[in-house]
């Protein structure tokens, strides 16, 4: 049977969509829309009928209601994910049923529509789904040669496998991890391996936008909306149309903006500042932060409803200290890249050992900075351990932390280290706090908060 399906696809048969809904008018609406788009449809009113269709035919999309007379749409989502993985499945949910939509996306659904079904959103979803690539993860990786997550550790192999799966979905993704561990690179890989790869990837640093400009930056504005608005301008949502919007350091968004972002995600529409009507937007959202987003929710600085909408699927990027076996490979790749700017310098065995023992609080970004500095300052033909200038307090020895703590409580000890790091960065950048934040690998807003908390003038 599987061979027969493959042969039908190979002969270029008309793309087919399975529509599953117990409401005849919904089935008719979707069938008519598909027909006008040059697609064929099979319609089922129950889970049992849908199973029969799936056993007989190959589909490029399944669109199913969440509530059916003999079961739940989630049954079909899971069945298709397990047995017909090349077929994306989208769900139709009742108006305002956020929990159902999130549950479906977590179960593997490609996307969702809310009743009453809007034709523009239906057509956008169909076009996006039918264009889904059916290539293997290896082929997808080849298309993204310029973007690499290096490392043969088990942790990185798992990350690459998850990215390949996420690329076939439209569900929002939350990438967690410490500063410098490759969150934006992972987001770009998800985009590049997805059907949205030909559309824009728009990265936004949420911590770098002044609060009074956020709404106009995200949603755009009309000419004359405010002083200085001399012409219409698109926002991040419009700029990422058809592609991916990556919100980095999303925990830095103020609560007032979180409300507007939540509405944009739920309605898939935005209204420009100064406009009277909303416009539909088609973007996939990926967000990231080095902060513990759940802790932010508990602290009241991040909305719980927005957290659940963004954190449909979580991808955790491991810190470098958890994959120390990847450090030699990462170091060689970094040195090869630096060789295009200066003479290539290899690492001595002692230097490589020292790097593998180091804890890298700044992760891959810190590794790159260390090697760039060592390459520039090294006077010999090889980079030795001394050229790396690693901090003895953080060189990976198990007793290093306890020796430096000197009887202080953990909180006091960590505050002292944080205060010292911030003060050194501010001095090194001659008082430029924006540059100091960049040097520390955090956002300006985060630096300002930390300085206030620690009482640093």
């Amino acid at each position: 049977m599987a061979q027969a399906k493959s042969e039908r696809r190979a002969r270029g048969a008309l793309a087919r969509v399975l529509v599953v809904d117990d409401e005849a008018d919904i089935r008719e609406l979707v069938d008519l829309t598909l027909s006008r788009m040059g697609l064929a449809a099979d319609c089922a009113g129950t889970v049992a009928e849908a199973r029969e269709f799936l056993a007989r035919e190959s589909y490029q999309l399944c669109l199913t209601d969440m509530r059916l007379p003999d079961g739940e749409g989630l049954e079909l989502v899971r069945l298709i994910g397990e047995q017909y993985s090349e077929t994306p499945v989208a769900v139709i949910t009742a108006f305002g049923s956020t929990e159902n939509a999130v549950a479906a996306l977590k179960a593997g659904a490609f996307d969702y529509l809310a009743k009453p079904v809007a034709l523009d959103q239906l057509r956008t979803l169909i076009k996006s789904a039918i264009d889904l690539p059916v290539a293997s993860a290896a082929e997808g990786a080849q298309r993204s040669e310029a973007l690499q997550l290096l490392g043969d550790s088990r942790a990185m192999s798992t990350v690459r496998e998850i990215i390949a799966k996420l690329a076939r979905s439209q569900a929002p993704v939350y990438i967690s991890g410490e500063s410098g561990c490759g969150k934006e690179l992972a987001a770009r890989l998800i985009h590049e391996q997805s059907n949205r790869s030909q559309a824009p990837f728009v990265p936004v640093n949420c911590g770098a936008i002044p609060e009074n400009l956020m709404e106009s930056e995200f949603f755009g504005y009309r000419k004359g909306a405010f002083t200085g608005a001399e012409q219409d301008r698109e926002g991040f949502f419009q700029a990422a149309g058809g592609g991916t919007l990556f919100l980095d350091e999303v925990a830095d968004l103020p609560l007032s903006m979180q409300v507007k972002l939540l509405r944009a995600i739920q309605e898939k529409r935005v209204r420009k500042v100064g406009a009277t009507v909303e416009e539909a937007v088609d973007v996939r959202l990926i967000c990231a932060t080095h902060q513990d987003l759940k802790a932010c929710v508990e602290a009241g600085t991040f909305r719980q409803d927005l957290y659940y909408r963004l954190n449909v699927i979580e991808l955790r990027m491991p810190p470098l200290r958890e994959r120390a076996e990847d450090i030699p490979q990462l170091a060689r790749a970094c040195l090869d890249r630096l060789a295009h700017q200066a003479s290539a310098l290899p690492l001595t065995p002692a230097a490589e050992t020292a790097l593998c023992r180091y804890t890298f609080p700044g992760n891959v970004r810190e590794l790159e900075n260390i090697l760039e500095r060592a390459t520039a300052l090294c006077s010999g033909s090889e980079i030795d351990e001394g050229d790396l200038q690693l901090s003895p307090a953080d060189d990976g020895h198990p007793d290093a932390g306890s020796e430096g703590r000197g009887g202080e409580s953990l909180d006091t000890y960590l505050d002292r280290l944080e205060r010292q790091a911030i003060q050194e960065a501010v001095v090194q950048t001659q008082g430029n706090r924006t540059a100091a934040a960049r040097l520390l690998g955090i956002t300006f807003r985060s630096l300002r908060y930390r300085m206030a908390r620690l009482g640093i003038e």
Side-chain angles (χ1 to χ4, degrees):
M1 185 177 294
Q3 182 177 356
K5 291 182 179 181
S6 298
E7 289 174 354
R8 283 196 295 271
R9 177 174 291 177
R11 289 196 299 267
L14 191 65
R16 302 190 72 82
V17 177
L18 177 60
V19 181
V20 188
D21 200 298
D22 62 336
E23 296 183 41
D25 56 343
I26 295 290
R27 295 198 300 269
E28 185 178 350
L29 171 67
V30 177
D31 190 2
L32 181 61
T33 302
L34 290 167
S35 177
R36 289 176 175 172
M37 296 176 70
L39 303 170
D42 289 327
C43 296
T46 64
V47 173
E49 290 178 12
R51 286 176 177 271
E52 293 176 4
F53 276 119
L54 287 166
R56 294 197 305 264
E57 186 57 72
S58 177
Y59 294 99
Q60 281 65 60
L61 170 65
C62 174
L63 186 61
T64 178
D65 193 6
M66 281 292 285
R67 296 190 179 279
L68 297 163
D70 59 342
E72 296 285 336
L74 286 179
E75 292 180 40
L76 289 177
V77 174
R78 297 190 182 99
L79 172 68
I80 291 172
E82 293 169 1
Q83 299 185 25
Y84 312 96
S85 58
E86 288 189 354
T87 300
V89 55
V91 298
I92 301 174
T93 66
F95 176 74
S97 183
T98 300
E99 296 79 8
N100 282 343
V102 172
L105 292 171
K106 284 182 178 290
F110 167 73
D111 206 346
Y112 72 93
L113 288 171
K115 292 181 179 180
V117 176
L119 288 181
D120 56 345
Q121 294 182 1
L122 174 61
R123 283 190 289 266
T124 297
L125 183 149
I126 293 169
K127 289 177 182 177
S128 184
I130 298 300
D131 290 338
L132 271 178
V134 296
S136 67
E139 290 170 334
Q142 290 176 359
R143 290 196 301 270
S144 305
E145 288 181 358
L147 302 173
Q148 298 184 62
L149 281 173
L150 296 177
D152 297 322
S153 63
R154 183 183 183 89
M156 291 311 295
S157 296
T158 300
V159 165
R160 285 191 289 268
E161 290 172 3
I162 295 174
I163 285 175
K165 293 177 181 178
L166 294 179
R168 288 188 54 79
S169 168
Q170 293 294 298
V173 177
Y174 165 50
I175 305 178
S176 61
E178 299 175 4
S179 294
C181 63
K183 296 188 291 295
E184 181 172 344
L185 179 54
R188 287 184 180 274
L189 278 168
I190 293 171
H191 171 78
E192 288 298 323
Q193 294 180 29
S194 76
N195 66 303
R196 295 177 176 267
S197 60
Q198 301 304 311
F201 175 89
V202 179
V204 177
N205 186 340
C206 298
I209 306 172
E211 186 171 345
N212 62 322
L213 297 179
M214 277 195 171
E215 186 174 2
S216 60
E217 289 292 312
F218 273 82
F219 306 136
Y221 55 79
R222 291 292 189 191
K223 179 180 179 180
F226 49 82
T227 303
E230 299 178 354
Q231 59 185 4
D232 288 359
R233 179 180 172 183
E234 293 189 337
F236 298 135
F237 272 85
Q238 292 92 345
T244 303
L245 180 59
F246 174 57
L247 303 181
D248 196 12
E249 298 303 342
V250 70
D252 287 338
L253 286 174
L255 288 169
S256 58
M257 187 61 203
Q258 291 177 31
V259 176
K260 297 180 175 69
L261 178 60
L262 177 64
R263 176 174 173 78
I265 295 171
Q266 292 181 161
E267 302 298 327
K268 298 184 179 181
R269 291 178 174 274
V270 299
R271 182 168 59 192
K272 291 181 176 180
V273 176
T276 56
V277 296
E278 293 181 326
E279 57 185 270
V281 289
D282 172 31
V283 300
R284 184 187 190 174
L285 275 176
I286 301 179
C287 70
T289 178
H290 73 282
Q291 299 185 52
D292 184 337
L293 206 53
K294 191 172 184 179
C296 293
V297 171
E298 294 171 353
T301 60
F302 201 83
R303 290 180 62 96
Q304 186 177 51
D305 46 7
L306 179 58
Y307 169 75
Y308 285 122
R309 292 314 302 266
L310 294 177
N311 190 23
V312 172
I313 303 174
E314 181 175 355
L315 170 63
R316 177 182 178 271
M317 296 299 294
L320 194 51
R321 62 181 174 275
E322 290 183 8
R323 54 185 188 103
E325 62 267 42
D326 292 334
I327 291 175
Q329 181 183 0
L330 289 166
R332 285 191 292 271
C334 182
L335 290 172
D336 287 343
R337 188 166 61 251
L338 292 172
H340 293 293
Q341 306 169 17
S343 300
L345 295 176
L347 291 169
T348 64
E352 189 169 298
T353 299
L355 286 175
C356 291
R357 295 174 61 198
Y358 187 60
T359 56
F360 285 102
N363 295 292
V364 178
R365 187 182 297 131
E366 184 182 9
L367 172 63
E368 293 173 342
N369 290 340
I370 288 171
L371 293 175
E372 187 171 0
R373 179 183 64 202
T375 299
L377 300 179
C378 179
S379 57
S381 58
E382 294 180 305
I383 297 175
D384 203 358
E385 181 177 0
D387 298 317
L388 299 174
Q389 300 182 22
L390 301 179
S391 170
D394 292 317
D395 67 358
H397 289 294
D399 297 331
S402 57
E403 288 177 1
R405 194 159 58 84
E408 294 174 303
S409 70
L410 181 60
D411 287 343
T412 302
Y413 173 61
L414 293 176
D415 283 350
R416 177 167 61 82
L417 290 181
E418 186 176 1
R419 183 181 291 104
Q420 179 181 344
I422 291 174
Q423 289 172 335
E424 289 177 354
V426 171
V427 171
Q428 189 173 341
T429 57
Q430 299 179 340
N432 186 326
R433 295 188 178 185
T434 301
R438 191 179 304 115
L439 184 65
L440 291 166
I442 59 178
T443 66
F444 175 75
R445 183 172 293 157
S446 178
L447 175 63
R448 188 172 57 188
Y449 165 78
R450 290 165 186 259
M451 292 180 72
R453 182 176 65 81
L454 295 170
I456 302 175
E457 296 297 331

